[in-house]
Amino acid sequence: MGLQPLEFSDCYLDSPWFRERVRAHEAELEKTNKFIKELLKDGKNLIAATKNLSAAQRKFAHSLRDFKFEFIGDAETDDERYIDASLHEFSNFLKNLEEQREILALSVTETLIKPLERFRKEQLGAVKEEKKKFDKETEKNYSLLEKHLNLSAKKKELQLQEADNQVEQNRKHFYELSLEYVCKLQEIQERKKFECVEPVLSFFQGLFTFYHQGYELAKDFNHYKMALQINIQNTRNRFEGTRSEVEELMNKIRRNPQEHKRANHFTMEGYLYVQEKRPAPFGSSWVKHYCTYRKETKKFTMIPFEHRSGGKAGDEELFVLTYCTKRNTDTIDRRFCFDLEASDRPGVPVTMQAFSEEDRKLWMEALDGKEAVSDIFLCAQLDKIGFTIIKKCISAVETRGINDQGLYRVVGVSSKVQRLLSLLMDAKTCNEVDLENSVDWEVKTITSAMKQYLRSLPEPLMTYELHGEFIVPAKSGSPESRVSAVHFLVHKLPEKNKEMLEILVKHLANVSKHAKRNLMTVANLGVVFGPTLMRPQEETVAAIMDLKFQNIVVEILIENHEKIFKTLPDATFPEPISMSVSPPNAPPRQSRRQGQRIKRPLAVYNLCLELDDADSHSSPREDTPTGSMDSLSSQSPTPAFPSSPPGLLDGNHLITDTGDLAGWTTNLSGQSRPSMVSWMNTPSANPAATNTVPSAFFFSNPATGSDRAVESVAHRKARAVYPCEAEHSSELSFQIGAIFEDVQFSREPGWLEGTLNGKRGLIPQNYVQFL
């Protein structure tokens, strides 16, 4: 579990739990600051101490390997996961360079030192300054409040009003500062991933330039660098979108905090001052408590809290409420007071003081159980008119604008969209509106009206009830388990919801087929329709962090719409959980990649849409973020079975439809052999590449520069004791009992080479027995 999101609404409660979450974020930033300082120190040592180069590299590698970014929420996207793992990858590269003691050009200051120093001074330093102001304002606010609450109610009304105004202004300033500080904390947590990793990535790119003996390693790193750059770019794009959403939410809450109060199991919660009576002549004291109340059980809890010590000042007290009465100023020398009586202490009231008259009114309403205001009625429904609207809009889009660039990205004029919606939603005029032939309605107006109608439904098409269940498979599991889980959940939707969703997804699949013209890939459609089809019931920071996973669910629907809507889910699939795809009882197979790298397809930018066309189309509008050509739904840390069609040949790399690149080089003798890149990443499923793996691999020894053949044993036969499905084109698929000819040990640990039915390929060593 990562850091908990800091909700803006909690700034107004300023609860002990909110303070604990703030301290956790501050501690994480301090850890990041220390890490960057250590990294900068190690980098400078690496530049200056050429005689101790190997020792500096080991220390630098150690620092990278041991640090891990914390994330906000309960899961990461695949891009973020690879960014988190990148420091460990960098560490592995440094270990390989340790034997190569070449003198480095000392020109990495601009690419490594200055960006990290700038980030630490400008970004982390700004957060420290915000923290100082926040702590100072906290002390000032509560000190002034205590002083204010000690004012006698018998003072002149004008004096009391002036004091009230001063406290209110100071409280508003404190809330403003608290909101900004919370926003800054979460922004820096997201920003640090690419701000810290990018300089390191640039440093590594320059590092290999000065190593003649590290030529092969640098070439292998180039593929990983490209993948990581795309991961970083994707994360940066999502960061920009998330930041705008968070800022918009912050501004909404700032304008009206009460409307955006988070729904929870408490009817009311907040700080109250509780009168604690003492024996004469000491009188009484007022102690601040954080109080919560549940109307259903009438349970009232109080936790003493001291903001100076930063936490609880005693044990929680709980009692069952019997009644609540308002205290007038003629009965007590304090304002905003009310009495509570507990069921276990009849006749002994507890006097509470609220922060203001409005605060007391809210407590009084909650404690005497007034009903909440009813929700606003929404006229959009999944009825006959609703289906007619969606079908008319889809028909018009597919007839007139299926190839329009930025389809569904480009928005229409608001007044025109509202006018069209009002005509379509009126049963008298709906059938008279001609969207396919009329020039009065632009395609962007039609698409915007369609999206607006879907957003106006009382609940999203994929329902609030199933929202969390749809998000779960998008956060983990293999591509197959994700599809199975979404397939299962779609058939749990109400019939009308499922019918409408099928109509819409079938249309979106058709839109994605024209992506070369309209630039709307499956990933881009997921970005557009994720929030529309799966909007959360509560608008919170945590919900914004889940936007990227909503998009993945929509991508899965589009890519697998035929299976999901035309077939019933597997009856043996009880819940949407991650499913193993390994053969039953089969032992785990050894990774075929050195360095324990995680296999993944690469995200490819929209520019790749026109790889096979010399005259590429212009890039999408400014409001169309650069996304991956392939959807995130196909990405997984450990995909099981490749299912991609043959790839496109681009220079020395084979670009598969899953986005993988398989690099191929030629040795001095002209013999084809796989490079380290093809070891560490998924090879293409291209049949032409199947037999390019020779029976003996040759590798350049970094220490000697010479080539050597992998040692092999005498040719032997082996029998399969487990079934196996090939994950790469260079592997063999087989059933139990299959006999392999000419079996040898492979250069890749844990793997053998053998021939089955005339085809030669790799075999997991622990899946067979030698004969």
Side-chain angles (χ1 to χ4, degrees):
M1 188 70 181
L3 294 172
Q4 296 186 34
L6 299 174
E7 299 297 346
F8 293 120
S9 57
D10 286 346
C11 294
Y12 292 86
L13 293 174
D14 197 24
S15 67
W17 303 284
F18 168 72
R19 288 286 180 159
E20 288 177 3
R21 290 194 289 270
V22 168
R23 286 198 300 274
H25 278 257
E26 292 171 347
E28 169 58 21
L29 288 182
E30 183 59 29
K31 185 173 69 169
T32 301
N33 184 50
K34 290 179 180 179
F35 160 70
I36 293 176
K37 289 174 67 175
E38 186 70 16
L39 202 62
L40 288 169
K41 176 184 176 183
D42 293 338
K44 290 176 181 178
N45 286 339
L46 185 63
I47 295 171
T50 54
K51 293 182 181 179
N52 299 315
L53 181 58
S54 180
Q57 283 178 326
R58 283 193 294 269
K59 180 69 174 63
F60 193 64
H62 183 78
S63 298
L64 292 172
R65 187 191 66 223
D66 289 350
F67 184 81
K68 179 175 175 58
F69 293 114
E70 290 291 352
F71 59 90
I72 298 177
D74 57 1
E76 298 174 288
T77 63
D78 292 337
D79 286 319
E80 291 169 335
R81 194 176 296 112
Y82 301 143
I83 288 176
D84 288 342
S86 63
L87 297 180
H88 192 270
E89 297 284 348
F90 296 147
S91 175
N92 289 336
F93 279 115
L94 271 179
K95 290 177 182 177
N96 290 327
L97 285 172
E98 197 171 352
E99 297 179 357
Q100 305 172 15
R101 299 177 181 273
E102 297 288 336
I103 298 177
L104 297 177
L106 307 180
S107 61
V108 297
T109 302
E110 294 295 325
T111 60
L112 176 67
I113 305 301
K114 287 186 178 180
L116 288 178
E117 287 180 336
R118 193 182 308 118
F119 175 75
R120 192 171 70 86
K121 292 177 182 178
E122 296 178 3
Q123 299 298 330
L124 295 180
V127 174
K128 286 186 176 181
E129 291 300 318
E130 288 289 330
K131 181 182 185 312
K132 290 178 182 178
K133 289 194 292 184
F134 177 72
D135 292 339
K136 182 179 178 181
E137 194 63 26
T138 298
E139 176 65 27
K140 178 182 176 183
N141 179 66
Y142 286 110
S143 297
L144 185 61
L145 184 61
E146 289 183 1
K147 180 180 178 181
H148 175 67
L149 293 175
N150 282 316
L151 285 175
S152 172
K154 294 183 172 46
K155 285 186 177 290
K156 293 182 180 180
E157 185 63 26
L158 183 60
Q159 290 178 315
L160 293 175
Q161 287 181 359
E162 288 178 353
D164 288 349
N165 291 337
Q166 182 182 3
V167 168
E168 185 61 27
Q169 289 178 359
N170 188 74
R171 183 185 300 158
K172 286 182 179 179
H173 180 65
F174 170 69
Y175 289 153
E176 287 277 338
L177 194 64
S178 180
L179 286 169
E180 292 173 1
Y181 182 52
V182 164
C183 186
K184 188 67 176 177
L185 276 178
Q186 300 194 108
E187 177 183 333
I188 198 69
Q189 296 287 10
E190 290 293 297
R191 179 189 291 275
K192 67 182 181 180
K193 294 185 179 181
F194 52 81
E195 292 281 9
C196 293
V197 174
E198 274 187 320
V200 180
L201 182 62
S202 300
F203 162 73
F204 273 87
Q205 178 61 21
L207 188 66
F208 290 114
T209 306
F210 305 100
Y211 280 88
H212 176 72
Q213 295 296 327
Y215 172 75
E216 284 291 332
L217 187 60
K219 187 167 57 176
D220 294 339
F221 178 75
N222 185 61
H223 177 77
Y224 179 76
K225 181 203 74 173
M226 184 176 65
L228 186 57
Q229 282 176 334
I230 296 174
N231 295 143
I232 291 172
Q233 185 61 44
N234 289 344
T235 304
R236 184 188 290 273
N237 290 341
R238 281 192 292 270
F239 164 77
E240 296 296 339
T242 301
R243 182 172 64 174
S244 63
E245 293 277 351
V246 169
E247 288 176 351
E248 183 180 350
L249 175 59
M250 180 182 71
N251 292 329
K252 285 182 181 178
I253 292 180
R254 176 185 287 152
R255 289 192 293 270
N256 198 334
Q258 291 301 325
E259 283 189 5
H260 291 81
K261 183 179 178 182
R262 294 181 65 201
N264 56 33
H265 50 278
F266 296 122
T267 308
M268 185 69 181
E269 62 179 317
Y271 284 103
L272 293 170
Y273 278 80
V274 180
Q275 184 183 36
E276 294 186 353
K277 296 179 180 179
R278 298 177 181 175
F282 298 105
S284 62
S285 64
W286 294 83
V287 180
K288 185 168 67 173
H289 288 67
Y290 192 83
C291 304
T292 63
Y293 176 68
R294 296 188 186 184
K295 186 179 75 173
E296 297 82 3
T297 59
K298 291 188 175 295
K299 290 184 178 179
F300 194 96
T301 61
M302 304 187 304
I303 305 173
F305 183 80
E306 172 54 58
H307 72 271
R308 292 187 183 90
S309 61
K312 301 176 184 178
D315 296 329
E316 176 182 302
E317 182 180 355
L318 184 147
F319 59 84
V320 177
L321 181 72
T322 56
Y323 78 87
C324 168
T325 56
K326 182 179 178 180
R327 288 287 295 270
N328 296 322
T329 53
D330 57 353
T331 63
I332 189 170
D333 191 27
R334 283 206 173 201
R335 298 186 297 159
F336 320 134
C337 294
F338 57 93
D339 287 342
L340 303 180
E341 184 174 297
S343 60
D344 58 344
R345 287 173 288 181
V348 184
V350 179
T351 302
M352 306 277 190
Q353 184 182 27
F355 284 179
S356 64
E357 184 60 38
E358 182 183 358
D359 191 28
R360 175 169 67 175
K361 181 180 178 182
L362 292 173
W363 276 104
M364 296 292 294
E365 288 178 354
L367 295 173
D368 65 13
K370 289 189 176 181
E371 296 294 330
V373 180
S374 59
D375 293 330
I376 299 175
F377 175 73
L378 298 174
C379 57
Q381 300 292 331
L382 286 178
D383 52 11
K384 183 178 179 181
I385 291 179
F387 277 88
T388 302
I389 292 172
I390 296 300
K391 289 177 181 178
K392 285 175 73 76
C393 290
I394 287 175
S395 177
V397 170
E398 294 193 345
T399 302
R400 297 172 51 193
I402 196 71
N403 291 319
D404 288 5
Q405 285 192 14
L407 184 64
Y408 287 108
R409 276 285 192 201
V410 182
V411 297
V413 179
S414 179
S415 58
K416 291 184 178 180
V417 173
Q418 294 299 328
R419 180 165 162 252
L420 175 59
L421 263 181
S422 63
L423 291 174
L424 290 173
M425 295 176 69
D426 189 340
K428 297 178 182 179
T429 59
C430 180
N431 292 326
E432 299 175 5
V433 179
D434 184 4
L435 298 179
E436 293 188 21
N437 302 306
S438 175
V439 294
D440 296 335
W441 307 110
E442 298 175 283
V443 172
K444 63 182 180 181
T445 304
I446 297 171
T447 56
S448 296
M450 179 175 162
K451 291 186 293 182
Q452 183 60 41
Y453 183 85
L454 292 171
R455 285 194 291 266
S456 300
L457 292 170
E459 68 171 343
L461 271 185
M462 298 173 76
T463 72
Y464 293 133
E465 182 182 0
L466 295 176
H467 179 86
E469 294 184 48
F470 273 111
I471 291 292
V472 169
K475 292 182 177 180
S476 61
S478 65
E480 291 80 4
S481 66
R482 293 180 183 182
V483 174
S484 298
V486 172
H487 189 186
F488 176 81
L489 291 170
V490 164
H491 286 263
K492 288 177 67 175
L493 290 170
E495 194 59 37
K496 285 187 177 180
N497 294 58
K498 183 158 72 73
E499 183 181 349
M500 179 72 83
L501 186 63
E502 180 179 1
I503 293 170
L504 179 63
V505 171
K506 181 180 179 181
H507 165 63
L508 296 181
N510 188 26
V511 171
S512 68
K513 292 177 182 177
H514 296 77
K516 289 188 178 180
R517 298 293 299 277
N518 60 35
L519 303 181
M520 293 305 292
T521 62
V522 172
N524 286 339
L525 289 171
V527 171
V528 173
F529 281 91
T532 300
L533 300 180
M534 292 186 65
R535 67 180 186 272
Q537 194 161 10
E538 282 190 86
E539 192 175 5
T540 64
V541 174
I544 293 173
M545 294 302 172
D546 278 344
L547 281 176
K548 51 200 173 187
F549 300 108
Q550 293 173 194
N551 304 345
I552 293 174
V553 175
V554 175
E555 292 166 15
I556 292 172
L557 289 173
I558 296 172
E559 291 177 330
N560 305 274
H561 68 282
E562 289 288 344
K563 174 183 177 181
I564 290 174
F565 293 101
K566 299 300 183 186
T567 65
L568 292 175
D570 189 350
T572 63
F573 187 77
E575 293 294 338
I577 58 176
S578 298
M579 298 175 64
S580 174
V581 292
S582 298
N585 302 320
R589 289 188 283 180
Q590 182 78 16
S591 171
R592 293 200 304 109
R593 302 173 301 279
Q594 288 188 349
Q596 299 299 317
R597 286 199 176 87
I598 302 172
K599 180 182 71 176
R600 58 196 178 275
L602 292 179
V604 181
Y605 293 127
N606 284 331
L607 297 177
C608 297
L609 286 170
E610 302 297 333
L611 277 176
D612 56 347
D613 189 351
D615 298 325
S616 60
H617 294 279
S618 60
S619 59
R621 285 170 57 97
E622 205 173 51
D623 57 351
T624 305
T626 304
S628 62
M629 179 179 178
D630 293 281
S631 66
L632 294 171
S633 61
S634 64
Q635 300 186 21
S636 170
T638 55
F641 308 128
S643 58
S644 48
L648 302 171
L649 195 60
D650 177 25
N652 292 327
H653 295 87
L654 189 64
I655 305 177
T656 71
D657 288 354
T658 59
D660 296 337
L661 300 181
W664 297 89
T665 59
T666 306
N667 60 14
L668 295 176
S669 63
Q671 189 176 17
S672 177
R673 65 178 177 88
S675 70
M676 290 288 285
V677 176
S678 63
W679 276 30
M680 294 183 287
N681 296 278
T682 310
S684 166
N686 189 346
T690 302
N691 295 321
T692 55
V693 182
S695 58
F697 294 144
F698 289 86
F699 299 90
S700 179
N701 187 323
T704 63
S706 63
D707 290 344
R708 62 183 178 84
V710 179
E711 295 182 3
S712 63
V713 299
H715 302 330
R716 298 176 59 182
K717 291 184 179 182
R719 180 173 59 85
V721 293
Y722 296 104
C724 177
E725 183 74 20
E727 294 182 357
H728 308 300
S729 59
S730 58
E731 298 175 15
L732 295 176
S733 296
F734 50 84
Q735 299 298 323
I736 296 176
I739 303 299
F740 303 95
E741 304 286 343
D742 193 17
V743 178
Q744 301 175 335
F745 283 112
S746 169
R747 174 62 176 82
E748 304 173 45
W751 290 78
L752 302 171
E753 290 181 56
T755 302
L756 178 65
N757 298 329
K759 180 180 177 180
R760 188 158 187 83
L762 296 173
I763 311 159
Q765 184 175 341
N766 55 349
Y767 274 52
V768 300
Q769 259 184 355
F770 279 106
L771 300 178

